[in-house]
């Protein structure tokens, strides 16, 4: 689901960029490590601030970054113009149906987008599918605790049904074959941040209720 105008204004501003740069990226690095020389997929890249951090902060070699909203991809393209096509691919795409072969990325990064996806377990299934065994899934997510707040319900647009608590999100990440060793919850449980690591073969993943 695309952002409404208010949420776009909240996302596309220097405060959001500073939070990503100075808080979220260091925390995700502490939980999951660096990405030096690796192939990374970023889902819901927005205007590309996180994508730049994947290169500059985490050391990624190549990033494929996608967003459902073409206007966001245009902004990301402008921001990331310095990166050549050998290192960066930007695309309009749905994280619930990723057009990439199985086991093609070392890491997938989610800076706060999965709570926007109506059938969010389908996105987790896709993330696990495109990760190599041992590949990492870095996530920073917004829980139903936040989405139930008056401010979120009044001013922002999110799918209403089937949202998740921090525990339910982590359980679903693990059910899709990506054990999570450590998570942190922030702001009274509004946010859950952590890293899963893809284990085993695809055949080991239980049949999901969303298929
Ligand atoms: C809350 S914003 C976060 C943007 C950016 N990651 C950041 O942290 O600033 C969520 C982004 O996910 C995108 N999005 C929503 N549903 C999506 C989907 N199914 N697949 C890919 N991107 C999606 C939105 O267009 C938006 O840019």
């Amino acid at each position: 689901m695309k952002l409404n105008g208010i949420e776009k204004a909240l996302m596309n501003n220097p405060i959001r960029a500073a939070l990503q740069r100075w808080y979220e990226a260091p925390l995700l690095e502490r939980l999951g490590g660096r990405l030096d020389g690796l192939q990374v997929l970023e889902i819901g890249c927005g205007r590309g601030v996180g994508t730049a951090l994947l290169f500059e902060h985490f050391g990624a070699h190549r990033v494929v970054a996608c967003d459902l909203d073409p206007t966001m991809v245009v902004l990301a393209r402008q921001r990331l113009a310095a990166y050549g096509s050998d290192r960066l691919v930007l695309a309009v795409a749905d994280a619930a149906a990723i057009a990439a072969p199985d086991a093609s990325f070392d890491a997938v990064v989610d800076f706060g987008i999965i709570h926007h996806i109506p059938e969010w377990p389908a996105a987790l299934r896709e993330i696990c599918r495109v990760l190599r065994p041992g590949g990492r899934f870095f996530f920073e997510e917004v829980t139903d605790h936040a989405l139930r707040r008056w401010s979120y319900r009044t001013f922002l647009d999110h799918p209403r049904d089937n949202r998740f608590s921090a525990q339910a999100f982590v359980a679903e990440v693990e059910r899709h074959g990506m054990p999570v060793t450590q998570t942190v919850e922030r702001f009274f449980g509004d946010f859950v941040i952590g890293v899963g690591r893809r284990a085993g073969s695809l055949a080991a993943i239980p049949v999901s209720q969303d298929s």
Side-chain angles (χ1 to χ4, degrees), residues 1-3 7 11 16 20 42-46 66-69 72 93-96 111-113 115-117:
M1 182 183 229
K2 293 179 193 170
L3 309 186
E7 194 168 3
M11 287 297 116
R16 168 67 192 146
Q20 243 178 318
E42 186 191 4
I43 55 172
C45 62
C66 72
D67 200 285
L68 194 62
D69 186 338
M72 292 298 219
D94 184 349
F111 280 113
I113 92 126
H115 65 286
H116 277 278
I117 302 179

Side-chain angles (χ1 to χ4, degrees), residues 147-166:
L147 299 179
R148 282 198 305 267
R149 289 186 189 279
W150 175 84
S151 52
Y152 277 79
R153 286 186 285 110
T154 305
F155 297 113
L156 311 179
D157 282 341
H158 293 96
R160 291 282 166 110
D161 299 329
N162 189 29
R163 296 305 86 191
F164 45 80
S165 64

Side-chain angles (χ1 to χ4, degrees), residues 32-42 54 58-64 100-110 126-138 178 195-199:
R34 292 178 55 81
L35 298 168
D36 292 299
L38 298 182
Q39 309 274 334
V40 180
L41 170 67
E42 186 191 4
L54 294 174
F58 287 88
H61 172 66
R62 182 170 175 272
V63 180
V64 175
D102 295 354
S104 49
F105 292 100
D106 301 299
V108 177
V109 179
D110 155 28
E126 281 292 83
I127 289 164
C128 187
R129 180 184 68 75
V130 301
L131 272 178
R132 297 197 172 101
R136 286 165 283 169
F137 170 42
F138 292 73
M178 298 175 284
V195 181
R197 190 178 283 272
R198 190 192 144 182

